[in-house]
Amino acid sequence: MNKSCAVALVDVNNFYASCERLFRPDLKGVPIVVLSNNDGCVVARSAEAKKLGIKMGVPYFQIRQFFEAMGGVWFSSNYALYGDMSQRVMTILEGMAPAVEVYSIDEAFIELSESWAGDLVEYGRQVRERVQQWTGLVVGVGIGPTKTLAKLANYAAKKWPATGGVVDLRDEGRRAKLMAITPVDEIWGIGRRLAAKLEAQGIKTVAELVAADPKSLRRQYGVVVERTVQELRGIPCAELEQVAQAKQQIICSRSFGERITTMGPMHQALAGYMERATEKLRAEGMCCRHVTLFIRTSPFSDKAPYYGNQVSTKLDMPTNDTRALLALIPQLLPHIWRDEQLYQKGGVMLADFTPIGMQQGDLFAAEQQSPRSEALMQVIDRINQGRLGKVYFAARGRDTREWMMKREKLSPRYTTCLSELPSAKA
């Protein structure tokens, strides 16, 4: 890569916790954690919570007494808020770079060049300022000749506040200094298990990994590690992906707020998941032919033996019509249902995709997906994605208390729901 060109990783600091604090200025300086589905485990922490030693993934009940005694505040996951704030950040980045790869809900790679951006560190500061001014969120910017080095630079930008939140690793001397003091498990793609194996053979820092023989690493750990080393040496092995790759399958699944013991509520729960899955399917521009339902009890219960099962079917014709897929639930569910079980989780999986309008017809199929069906689904999606309300199918029922997630401390949808906006009284 030309030294005047680079890749930058822009990552929102403590994204979920920052979104919650954004609309609660009274929580400035207060430790915050956000919990997973059903208010189970810690999935996000503010900087203050990290300083208290709160670990990612720890069940909240194990730390609740300590955390709240230290003045900590917790929230249920507010996906509507996080998704909308993420979209706002990505829209800003798309207006500041010619190529953007959205990597996750809170981070994206962007293409930079001195030919139009000028000094890249200064431009990184402009990115930080604009995101903060327009959204209130703080980002770190890591710049490098490869995506892996941009990730490493972003790590440094967050770890050392003196950097001002922007680090440029195009200079080999600066890279070498950082690599010598950075543990190998901080490298993008090097998980805990792999890091433990590398450390066992004397590779404890990024510098020691870069000094190792790539071919030997490939023989031991595969081509991914070899490519990681090449990227750390400044040789690009992964280009920006501006167009997201098509999904191979869609899974919609949740743990239930309460244990389900009868088939009716399970049917309703799976219907709710099927609605969401087919909505995602249409957003991908696809139809599916393979449908799977699965249910299970808790694998950690000491009161009853574990039970889990799944059932699948292949359709004669691919479809993305919610009505057709909902009709499969009463046909399939009895095949895996067992009475007297305390079901903790269920879900649906859609697979075997083909693009809309590219399905091969079947003269012997009882039904084909009609243009009227496609038009109806488009209308439903427009309503559900707009601000006018929601359209639900009768199969999901009206009483969802048994299967809906526990969200005891769900904050308002400040940016997407007018009825939940805070009100001021004179």
Side-chain angles (χ1 to χ4, degrees):
M1 178 180 285
N2 189 313
K3 195 170 182 180
S4 66
C5 300
V7 175
L9 177 70
V10 183
D11 185 8
V12 183
N13 297 350
N14 310 311
F15 180 57
Y16 286 7
S18 296
C19 288
E20 298 292 354
R21 181 177 283 156
L22 190 60
F23 298 93
R24 290 283 306 274
D26 58 305
L27 296 180
K28 183 177 181 181
V30 174
I32 296 172
V33 298
V34 178
L35 305 186
S36 62
N37 296 337
N38 287 311
D39 297 337
C41 301
V42 173
V43 295
R45 307 158 293 164
S46 67
E48 297 82 1
K50 292 176 183 177
K51 289 180 180 178
L52 291 177
I54 304 300
K55 303 296 184 183
M56 282 287 286
V58 64
Y60 186 63
F61 75 88
Q62 293 182 2
I63 63 164
R64 182 168 192 161
Q65 186 174 0
F66 163 77
F67 184 66
E68 294 180 6
M70 299 300 293
V73 175
W74 66 276
F75 289 91
S76 304
S77 295
N78 187 339
Y79 301 114
L81 173 63
Y82 309 150
D84 184 68
M85 293 306 299
S86 172
Q87 183 60 43
R88 294 176 187 225
V89 172
M90 301 309 165
T91 300
I92 293 171
L93 298 182
E94 288 168 355
M96 299 190 73
V100 177
E101 177 189 336
V102 178
Y103 181 65
S104 69
I105 192 171
D106 62 346
E107 56 187 333
F109 291 101
I110 64 174
E111 180 183 293
L112 296 179
S113 173
E114 291 179 348
S115 63
W116 55 266
D119 181 270
L120 297 191
V121 172
E122 178 57 33
Y123 197 76
R125 294 194 182 103
Q126 292 176 29
V127 170
R128 275 174 53 87
E129 290 169 5
R130 184 172 298 183
V131 171
Q132 186 165 14
Q133 182 181 21
W134 290 11
T135 70
L137 298 171
V138 177
V139 300
V141 181
I143 303 169
T146 69
K147 293 168 78 172
T148 304
L149 284 171
K151 269 273 194 180
L152 181 62
N154 189 276
Y155 158 79
K158 287 187 172 183
K159 186 172 179 63
W160 290 286
T163 63
V166 181
V167 171
D168 182 0
L169 288 184
R170 287 176 297 162
D171 179 75
E172 293 184 14
R174 194 174 192 192
R175 287 206 299 265
K177 291 179 181 178
L178 177 61
M179 290 178 179
I181 61 173
T182 303
V184 71
D185 61 359
E186 293 293 346
I187 294 299
W188 184 31
I190 304 293
R192 291 182 180 178
R193 292 183 180 178
L194 179 54
K197 292 179 180 179
L198 291 169
E199 289 175 5
Q201 67 179 81
I203 300 175
K204 297 181 179 180
T205 66
V206 180
E208 290 168 340
L209 179 64
V210 171
D213 177 30
K215 301 300 180 184
S216 176
L217 291 172
R218 177 172 183 167
R219 286 193 298 270
Q220 290 180 276
Y221 306 112
V223 67
V224 174
V225 174
E226 180 191 21
R227 288 175 178 172
T228 297
V229 172
Q230 297 288 24
E231 287 239 331
L232 288 169
R233 292 176 173 178
I235 303 171
C237 296
E239 301 298 326
L240 259 65
E241 297 177 5
Q242 294 178 253
V243 179
Q245 295 183 358
K247 291 183 173 66
Q248 300 299 311
Q249 62 183 21
I250 292 174
I251 299 175
C252 192
S253 173
R254 292 285 187 274
S255 296
F256 305 131
E258 301 176 10
R259 297 293 191 265
I260 288 182
T261 57
T262 57
M263 194 182 299
M266 179 65 79
H267 183 177
Q268 294 176 1
L270 295 178
Y273 302 150
M274 187 69 81
E275 284 186 26
R276 182 68 184 120
T278 51
E279 187 177 287
K280 292 181 179 181
L281 183 66
R282 291 190 292 271
E284 292 285 320
M286 295 289 177
C287 293
C288 78
R289 195 168 188 176
H290 196 273
V291 179
T292 299
L293 307 183
F294 55 91
I295 57 177
R296 69 169 175 82
T297 63
S298 173
F300 306 108
S301 174
D302 55 3
K303 298 179 180 179
Y306 171 76
Y307 172 70
N309 208 344
Q310 66 180 43
V311 60
S312 301
T313 188
K314 189 172 184 179
L315 306 176
D316 292 331
M317 284 291 298
T319 185
N320 60 19
D321 190 317
T322 303
R323 299 168 300 171
L325 295 174
L326 285 173
L328 297 174
I329 296 175
Q331 301 174 27
L332 298 176
L333 182 56
H335 292 286
I336 55 175
W337 179 264
R338 283 187 185 176
D339 290 327
E340 300 181 357
Q341 299 286 342
L342 301 175
Y343 292 100
Q344 180 211 30
K345 190 172 186 177
V348 303
M349 181 175 73
L350 309 181
D352 193 2
F353 297 162
T354 55
I356 294 175
M358 296 184 63
Q359 296 79 29
Q360 184 172 346
D362 186 344
L363 292 174
F364 304 102
E367 296 183 4
Q368 311 278 355
Q369 182 154 318
S370 67
R372 290 173 62 87
S373 167
E374 294 180 11
L376 175 61
M377 293 301 110
Q378 289 174 8
V379 170
I380 290 174
D381 289 341
R382 282 199 296 269
I383 294 173
N384 286 342
Q385 293 163 11
R387 306 293 172 88
L388 300 178
K390 293 290 182 182
V391 176
Y392 297 116
F393 289 80
R396 79 198 307 267
R398 297 181 61 186
D399 188 357
T400 60
R401 288 174 296 180
E402 283 190 71
W403 59 272
M404 287 295 286
M405 293 184 295
K406 287 182 180 177
R407 303 173 91 176
E408 185 180 332
K409 290 198 175 182
L410 180 65
S411 56
R413 294 168 290 177
Y414 298 102
T415 61
T416 57
C417 185
L418 286 173
S419 64
E420 296 182 17
L421 284 176
S423 57
K425 297 181 180 180

